[in-house]
Each structure stands twice: as C-alpha cells, then as structure tokens.
Amino acid sequence: MGMAEPFAQMLSGGRPNSLGRTIEVVDVVLADPDRFGELFDCYRSANAVVRLRTSNAMKRVEAARHDLLAPYIDRFIAEIGPLDQASAQWTLAQRFGRLAGGMRPEQRAGAQKLMQRNLAGHDDWIVLRASMGTPADRAARDDALKNWLLPHLHSLAGDGRTTVALRAAKSLKALGA
C-alpha cells in the first residue's frame, strides 16, 4: 500500500469558501482514528484555508466520534485557543460545550477563560454567538462568572447584528437578568 496523502495537502486548494476535500478527510479519520493527531496538527498550518477546513473537520469528527477529541482537550486549550482565526474560536466554543461533561475542573477553567476572552474582545459574530453558550450555562451556578458575564451580555444584547443580540437576550433571560 502506498503512502497516505497528508491531510494538510488534502485540505488545501480549491475555492477558499468551499469544503474542498474536508469530508474525505473526515472519512479517513473515522476509518483510521490513529490519524486524528495528524488532523489536529493541521491547525498549525500557515494556510488559513487549511485551518478553516480543519475546524470544519473537527466538528464532523466530534459528531461521529466524540471520544477522539476528548484526549486532546488540553491541546485544544493550549494550542488552538491562542489562534487568531474566527473559525478556530467558534469551533472551540462549540466543541467545549459538547465536551464539557468529560472535562476536568482545570480544563473547564481553561475553556472558560478562552470563552470570556472571546466575549470581551472578539468582533466576529459567529465567535460571539458560539462563545455565549458555555459561560451562560455555567453562570447559573457560579456567581462570580455571572457577575462578570452580565455586563457583557447586556452590551451584546444591544449589538446591531440580530443573531448576536438575540443570543445575548436569550442568555440573559436564562440567567433571570
């Protein structure tokens, strides 16, 4: 059998706003989970399209095989958290919400810190919307987080982008604010 085609190569090329060969990469990972680490490493690509498609692939892999991402939670926080790319940040927010039940307290704290950073300083509407969920869910049981979150949610409830404002209003209502 020949060499397997590298994921970074499979995820590059084509129209930047297309999936390219993302589905094919997901199928390979699901058939050969030992290659998940290679997919994760595509976040290190200098190519923004490869990183975007990696985020899309992560979403799809997690939906099919949640267990493949769980051992990478620390690396998602440490290595992907600092990436200045909206697709990486909204993917993290979504994955953290889905992986939260299996996180250790320090992992939840690291994920929380990233979501707070995004709510306080990001401008991408998808990142903002995705980052509201996990903190709002936890704020109902954490007064300090709730006190931090409420002013941000009130501010975002006035955002000119309807989807951001509606999500913030929904989170405020859930928190009784």
Side-chain angles (χ1 to χ4, degrees):
M1 187 170 213
M3 277 290 277
E5 187 174 2
F7 288 155
Q9 181 178 326
M10 292 174 73
L11 294 171
S12 65
R15 290 190 340 267
N17 62 345
S18 75
L19 286 174
R21 296 174 63 194
T22 302
I23 305 302
E24 188 179 344
V25 168
V26 170
D27 289 343
V28 170
V29 170
L30 295 176
D32 184 3
D34 289 341
R35 291 191 69 189
F36 180 82
E38 179 188 349
L39 174 60
F40 182 91
D41 290 343
C42 288
Y43 271 122
R44 292 188 184 130
S45 175
N47 184 327
V49 172
V50 170
R51 294 191 310 269
L52 171 68
R53 290 178 180 158
T54 299
S55 288
N56 191 290
M58 286 295 173
K59 174 181 72 170
R60 294 166 189 276
V61 169
E62 189 275 327
R65 289 283 312 271
H66 182 85
D67 61 299
L68 293 179
L69 277 73
Y72 283 78
I73 292 171
D74 290 328
R75 290 186 65 194
F76 276 109
I77 293 167
E79 297 173 34
I80 312 311
L83 283 180
D84 185 20
Q85 184 167 355
S87 63
Q89 294 308 312
W90 61 256
T91 298
L92 281 180
Q94 292 171 340
R95 301 297 58 85
F96 287 156
R98 303 231 343 151
L99 295 166
M103 287 184 176
R104 296 185 316 273
E106 65 273 11
Q107 291 173 324
R108 278 193 295 279
Q112 182 68 38
K113 184 177 178 183
L114 290 173
M115 298 308 95
Q116 286 179 267
R117 181 205 65 202
N118 286 343
L119 285 174
H122 219 290
D123 191 46
D124 182 87
W125 72 270
I126 302 173
V127 173
L128 291 170
R129 191 173 188 292
S131 295
M132 283 183 231
T134 301
D137 292 345
R138 292 196 60 220
R141 300 174 306 280
D142 181 336
D143 287 340
L145 176 58
K146 186 175 181 178
N147 290 336
W148 180 90
L149 186 58
L150 287 176
H152 292 282
L153 291 176
H154 281 294
S155 175
L156 290 170
D159 193 279
R161 296 164 292 187
T162 304
T163 188
V164 173
L166 288 175
R167 176 61 186 214
K170 181 180 176 182
S171 295
L172 284 166
K173 184 177 180 182
L175 291 169

